[in-house]
Amino acid sequence: MSDVIDLIVEQWVKERPELADELWPVQVLGRVQRVQSIVDKSLKAFCAERGLEPGEFDVLTTLRRSGPPYALTAGAFLKAAMVTSGAITNRIDRMEAKGLVERVREGGDRRTVLIQLTERGQELIDAVMAAHLRNYAKILGALDRDECERIATGLRKVLEAHGDAAIT
């Protein structure tokens, strides 16, 4: 069985045979890009069915997994989300209007603002998280657990080599 990436490599080998031994990265990265497209499409559909945008889902999951009180400062959230402050501001504005998050001033320092899950936001993410994981498992359905673990280990090595380390 072959896929589009096999065809792409085959075409390059035909057109530029001297590059045949150098095309191996396409075997991995081309497939990573195509899988990301599948994941993006699936996540967008999953979220749309629940009245969310993927970015909003990301906010909900980030806050929920942060533990009680399910709140992060705007700065901490920016580091975790790796998006611009303008994008976060707009996303939080929309989510606040939906009643999913709220901005809370922290203690005596009025400059420190926490983004916090509302009860409604927590109920929503708790209700959909298991379905989200089943959706991801479906995407990976052609692989067994051992294959998934080997792929995850290899991709982790690539990410770490490029400085994508856990933020604590």
Side-chain angles (χ1 to χ4, degrees):
M1 179 178 263
S2 65
D3 64 6
V4 172
I5 300 303
D6 290 328
L7 176 61
I8 290 168
V9 169
E10 181 182 306
Q11 290 170 330
W12 276 115
V13 168
K14 180 181 174 190
E15 292 299 315
R16 300 279 313 271
E18 75 279 12
L19 295 177
D21 289 340
E22 298 176 50
L23 288 165
W24 63 267
V26 175
Q27 296 283 350
V28 175
L29 298 178
R31 287 184 174 96
V32 167
Q33 288 176 311
R34 293 185 67 85
V35 167
Q36 185 59 52
S37 178
I38 290 167
V39 171
D40 288 345
K41 183 179 178 182
S42 178
L43 183 60
K44 189 173 183 175
F46 178 85
C47 289
E49 290 171 5
R50 290 151 178 86
L52 294 168
E53 294 290 327
E56 295 171 337
F57 183 76
D58 181 48
V59 169
L60 293 174
T61 58
T62 300
L63 291 172
R64 181 62 174 95
R65 73 176 180 260
S66 72
Y70 310 114
L72 293 170
T73 64
F77 197 88
L78 278 172
K79 287 179 187 174
M82 295 191 319
V83 296
T84 66
S85 59
I88 286 292
T89 299
N90 293 334
R91 189 175 297 162
I92 298 304
D93 286 347
R94 287 192 311 270
M95 294 180 72
E96 229 177 358
K98 291 181 177 182
L100 300 174
V101 299
E102 60 187 346
R103 289 178 175 96
V104 178
R105 301 279 178 201
E106 188 175 46
D109 186 357
R110 303 284 299 160
R111 295 172 296 170
T112 304
V113 176
L114 294 173
I115 303 164
Q116 184 169 21
L117 271 180
T118 62
E119 187 175 327
R120 181 175 178 201
Q122 185 176 342
E123 288 171 0
L124 176 60
I125 194 58
D126 286 350
V128 303
M129 191 61 193
H132 168 66
L133 295 174
R134 285 191 300 274
N135 189 45
Y136 267 15
K138 183 178 174 183
I139 291 169
L140 295 173
L143 304 171
D144 65 32
R145 275 298 275 279
D146 288 340
E147 289 171 313
C148 288
E149 288 177 19
R150 284 193 303 274
I151 291 167
T153 297
L155 291 174
R156 181 182 306 108
K157 287 179 183 179
V158 172
L159 292 170
E160 289 172 350
H162 290 274
D164 191 6
I167 299 171
T168 56

